[in-house]
């Protein structure tokens, strides 16, 4: 990391403000080459983290923009290196011209996530906190924002750190007695650490249990809208989205393929799939749509089963309800309630909500039902695992802790127990970044946008 990197930190679209970042040993010197304060001395003489107003000029002296500039000096900066940041008017042309000038002066284009990667490598943040930077940028619900902000502030690292430190105490005590038998060190007895091992395993088990909820929270809940043809599925999708996304006609079987959209409902992000009506058909195109509908239903975590309440209940409806009951979570929507109700009682144990997309009846009740199906976990913000890498590391640590506990209960020698304890420490170190491999680090930061 001996070079200086530069990137546009804001989007490529026209905006009120555009930001270009620099990080590396020449960041302040490059800022002085292009930025000329209207008051005070050059940026190398300015205080850290102070916004300075001045002129941006190219190498030939031509004015590019009137802008603000700030510098932060190592190690007290985001990346832990000398950094500079230009806040310009948000013209993509201005930002590109400024970036080209910086490249001509010796900076290079930053890679995806390279600023945050440098922050991690320079010890400014743990790896799980660095991952939270991407999470907070991509967050689509308030719950995602709060959890990512908690992880960014170090919530996971603190929780894991307490477990890691406790295991370090066990390991260091054992090795101290082994390596220095003549010193006045308390004898190592596994029994005195039994409670600690049990508690550490319980903490890891509780943390791992948050992953499924965190995965749904961050990626969105796969939700399938199913029902027989013309039951009102596409009308429901349009009503929830607030615009006409799916074609709606009185002709059964209008929807021949799945339609996918994201929607925030009940505090959750739903990945809605409107499906073709499920029925027996000789039409090969419709049959393909029905097959895809069944696939969407099988892969859904939430099923919204739509039954036309204005018509007589059919065997096709009954089969759809039976399929919905096999899903992890499901709700039954009795549609077209504004047309009168022929079907009063439905043969299902699932919650039934009468709805009308014409009057809006039942849509608020649907939102509250979704909220009830996915209550917020009873853990502090930031302590919900949201990606597979984190969950896999905790899972391996838990397996090692369970093996250590079983070895101790079976009367194994301390060295065997400590081998498992140190295996758990290695896995936890991968979670926080203490001992993570370079290829894993590179894969993590490729997920980031350029300029972050």
């Amino acid at each position: 990391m001996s070079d200086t990197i530069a990137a546009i930190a804001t989007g490529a679209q026209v905006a009120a403000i555009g930001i270009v970042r620099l990080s590396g040993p020449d960041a302040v010197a490059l800022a002085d080459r292009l930025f000329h304060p209207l008051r005070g001395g050059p940026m190398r003489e300015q205080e850290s983290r102070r916004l300075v107003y001045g002129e941006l000029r190219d190498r030939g002296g031509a004015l590019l923009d009137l802008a603000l500039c700030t510098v932060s000096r190592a190690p007290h900066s985001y990346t832990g290196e000398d950094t500079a940041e230009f806040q310009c008017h948000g013209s993509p042309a201005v930002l590109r011209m400024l970036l080209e000038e910086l490249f001509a002066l010796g900076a290079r284009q930053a890679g995806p996530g390279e600023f945050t990667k440098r922050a991690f490598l320079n010890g400014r943040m743990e790896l799980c906190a660095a991952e939270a930077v991407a999470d907070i940028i991509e967050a689509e619900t308030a719950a995602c924002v709060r959890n990512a902000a908690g992880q960014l502030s170090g919530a996971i690292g603190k929780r894991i750190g307490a477990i890691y430190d406790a295991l370090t105490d066990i390991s260091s005590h054992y090795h101290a007695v082994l390596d220095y038998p003549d010193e006045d060190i308390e004898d190592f007895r596994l029994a005195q650490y039994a409670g600690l091992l049990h508690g550490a395993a319980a903490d890891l088990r509780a943390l791992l249990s948050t992953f499924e909820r965190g995965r749904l929270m961050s990626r969105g809940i796969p939700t399938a809208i199913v029902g027989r043809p013309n039951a009102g599925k596409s009308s429901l999708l349009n009503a929830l989205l607030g615009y006409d996304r799916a074609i709606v006609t009185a002709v059964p079987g209008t929807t021949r393929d799945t339609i996918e959209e994201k929607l925030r409902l009940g505090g959750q992000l739903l990945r809605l799939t409107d499906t073709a009506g499920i029925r027996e058909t000789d039409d090969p195109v419709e049959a393909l749509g029905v097959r895809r509908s069944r696939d969407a239903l099988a892969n859904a975590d939430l099923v919204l089963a739509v039954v036309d309440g204005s018509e007589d209940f059919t065997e096709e409806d009954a089969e759809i309800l039976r399929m919905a009951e096999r899903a992890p979570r499901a709700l039954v929507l009795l549609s077209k309630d504004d047309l009168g109700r022929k079907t009063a009682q439905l043969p299902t144990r699932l919650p039934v909500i009468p709805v009308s997309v014409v009057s809006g009846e039942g849509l608020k009740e649907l939102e509250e039902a979704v909220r009830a199906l996915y209550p917020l976990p009873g853990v502090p913000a930031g302590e919900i695992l949201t990606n597979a890498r984190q969950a896999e590391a905790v899972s391996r640590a838990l397996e090692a802790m369970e093996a250590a506990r079983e070895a101790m209960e079976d009367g194994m020698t301390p060295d065997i127990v400590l081998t498992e304890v140190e295996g758990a420490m290695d896995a936890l170190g991968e979670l926080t970044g203490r001992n993570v491999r370079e290829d894993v680090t590179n894969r993590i930061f490729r997920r980031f946008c350029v300029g972050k």
Side-chain angles (χ1 to χ4, degrees):
M1 297 185 294
S2 60
D3 57 352
T4 299
I5 57 174
I8 298 172
T10 44
Q13 70 279 4
V14 175
I17 302 295
I19 296 174
V20 173
R21 284 179 158 173
L22 281 166
S23 181
D26 298 326
V28 179
L30 292 181
D32 272 339
R33 293 286 300 275
L34 301 178
F35 184 78
H36 307 276
L38 292 181
R39 291 186 181 179
M43 293 308 298
R44 64 180 176 274
E45 298 175 3
Q46 298 286 346
E47 297 176 19
S48 288
R49 295 180 293 280
R50 179 171 179 254
L51 279 173
V52 179
Y53 182 60
E55 296 175 339
L56 271 175
R57 295 183 176 274
D58 65 19
R59 288 164 294 153
L63 183 66
L64 296 177
D65 197 5
L66 293 175
L68 295 170
C69 181
T70 182
V71 297
S72 296
R73 293 173 175 84
H76 306 295
S77 70
Y78 179 76
T79 63
E81 305 171 331
D82 285 351
T83 64
E85 188 170 284
F86 304 97
Q87 297 184 15
C88 315
H89 292 95
S91 161
V94 169
L95 300 179
R96 284 195 303 271
M97 291 171 70
L98 173 55
L99 202 58
E100 288 166 3
E101 290 294 317
L102 291 169
F103 293 159
L105 291 172
R108 71 163 173 83
Q109 173 68 55
E114 191 167 0
F115 289 91
T116 305
K117 181 179 179 181
R118 291 189 174 202
F120 163 66
L121 294 175
N122 288 323
R124 295 293 291 169
M125 62 175 65
E126 293 182 330
L127 192 56
C128 44
E131 289 176 303
V133 174
D135 287 343
I136 202 167
I137 291 171
E138 298 171 357
E140 298 186 68
T141 65
C144 289
V145 169
R146 294 190 184 98
N147 190 66
Q151 288 200 4
L152 187 57
S153 69
I156 290 287
K158 291 173 186 174
R159 186 166 178 179
I160 291 299
I163 300 171
Y164 190 96
D165 290 344
L167 299 182
T168 301
D169 289 342
I170 300 175
S171 181
S172 60
H173 185 187
Y174 171 74
H175 287 293
V177 172
L178 187 68
D179 296 339
Y180 303 99
D182 298 330
E183 298 294 329
D184 185 20
I185 301 173
E186 180 185 359
D187 288 343
F188 182 84
R189 296 182 180 87
L190 275 176
Q192 71 188 97
Y193 291 113
L196 192 152
L197 292 178
H198 178 78
D203 285 345
L204 291 174
R205 196 176 297 108
L207 183 59
L208 187 60
S209 70
T210 68
F211 173 57
E212 180 60 23
R213 183 68 183 87
R215 184 181 64 83
L216 293 175
M217 185 174 70
S218 60
R219 295 180 56 193
I221 299 166
T223 305
I225 305 175
V226 299
R228 61 185 173 88
N230 215 29
K233 301 181 299 299
S234 296
S235 296
L236 175 66
L237 175 71
N238 292 342
L240 292 175
L241 293 174
Y243 64 94
D244 290 341
R245 172 64 177 86
I247 297 173
V248 176
T249 73
V251 180
T254 302
T255 302
R256 296 295 186 96
D257 202 353
T258 55
I259 298 174
E260 297 185 6
E261 288 289 338
K262 287 184 179 180
L263 169 73
R264 286 186 292 277
L265 187 71
Q268 307 302 320
L269 177 67
L270 305 185
R271 290 193 287 116
L272 280 176
T273 301
D274 179 26
T275 65
I278 297 176
R279 66 174 175 179
E280 295 298 325
T281 177
D282 295 327
D283 185 325
V285 177
E286 187 179 1
L288 179 59
V290 171
R291 187 156 58 249
R292 291 184 177 180
S293 297
R294 293 180 181 275
D295 289 342
L297 191 153
N299 294 322
D301 189 83
L302 172 63
V303 170
L304 302 180
V306 182
V307 175
D308 187 346
S310 69
E311 294 187 356
D312 292 329
F313 188 76
T314 68
E315 180 53 35
E316 288 176 337
D317 290 322
E319 174 60 22
I320 288 166
L321 293 186
R322 286 192 289 270
M323 289 189 292
E325 288 177 345
R326 294 193 289 269
R329 298 170 183 84
L331 298 169
V332 179
L333 305 180
L334 199 58
S335 66
K336 306 181 185 180
D337 210 45
D338 55 293
L339 299 180
R341 194 181 304 173
K342 286 188 177 180
T343 303
Q345 293 292 113
L346 297 180
T348 181
R349 56 179 174 76
L350 298 172
V352 179
I353 304 172
V355 297
S356 167
V357 300
V358 175
S359 66
E361 175 195 351
L363 298 184
K364 184 65 176 177
E365 288 76 7
L366 170 59
E367 181 175 6
E368 293 306 315
V370 170
R371 193 187 308 276
L373 286 176
Y374 294 93
L376 292 176
V379 298
E383 294 189 9
I384 301 173
L385 299 179
T386 55
N387 69 58
R389 187 198 73 85
Q390 295 173 351
E392 193 271 338
V394 174
S395 179
R396 282 191 288 114
L398 178 59
E399 287 177 8
M401 290 301 303
E402 294 286 9
R405 183 181 57 79
E406 290 173 6
M408 185 174 63
E409 291 175 353
D410 291 342
M412 297 292 184
T413 56
D415 59 311
I416 294 177
V417 177
L418 265 294
T419 297
E420 299 294 350
V421 167
E422 288 168 0
M425 292 172 64
D426 286 342
L428 296 179
E430 289 182 25
L431 176 65
T432 59
R434 293 191 191 204
N435 57 352
V436 70
R437 299 193 316 271
E438 183 179 359
D439 61 326
V440 174
T441 303
N442 291 336
R443 186 166 65 249
I444 288 168
F445 288 102
R446 279 200 297 268
R447 169 190 171 197
F448 285 59
C449 56
V450 173
K452 192 60 186 171

